[in-house]
Amino acid sequence: MRTTPTPMDQYMVDLDERPWASYAACRTADPELFFAGTDTASFEAVKICRSCPVQDQCLAWALDNRVRYGVWGGLTERQRRRASRLSA
């Protein structure tokens, strides 16, 4: 029995909170790509985000909620931290 949730578990899609997620390009992709933590996987995740019709909403949600892990809205963890500092 697993006692520690993976980063993916805490971000499972709640369509009441994030209705735009049902239109996301990543909805059929392997979630591991977005939470793998390697440059190669991040590159693949970002490629999926580039074609996403809700990329802006996803990024805004991640920034507003200070999401620390994974690729969201086409930005890696490091890129979102940088974006947050620039907008502050």
Side-chain angles (χ1 to χ4, degrees):
M1 178 174 216
R2 189 176 68 193
T3 58
T4 306
T6 62
M8 217 171 23
D9 290 339
Q10 72 186 109
Y11 301 117
M12 293 304 287
V13 175
D14 176 355
L15 294 178
D16 289 333
E17 180 184 355
R18 297 180 273 160
W20 48 263
S22 63
Y23 302 101
C26 64
R27 71 187 177 281
T28 59
D30 180 2
E32 293 294 324
L33 285 176
F34 296 85
F35 294 96
T38 66
D39 289 340
T40 302
S42 293
F43 178 73
E44 292 300 317
V46 169
K47 278 181 20 181
I48 293 170
C49 292
R50 282 189 202 136
S51 67
C52 186
V54 295
Q55 180 180 2
D56 293 339
Q57 292 95 322
C58 179
L59 178 58
W61 183 86
L63 292 172
D64 289 347
N65 289 283
R66 298 181 182 184
V67 177
R68 293 179 53 190
Y69 302 105
V71 173
W72 291 83
L75 296 185
T76 64
E77 299 161 17
R78 182 179 296 155
Q79 291 168 329
R80 284 195 314 281
R81 281 194 302 271
R82 193 175 309 133
S84 291
R85 283 187 297 234
L86 292 175
S87 67

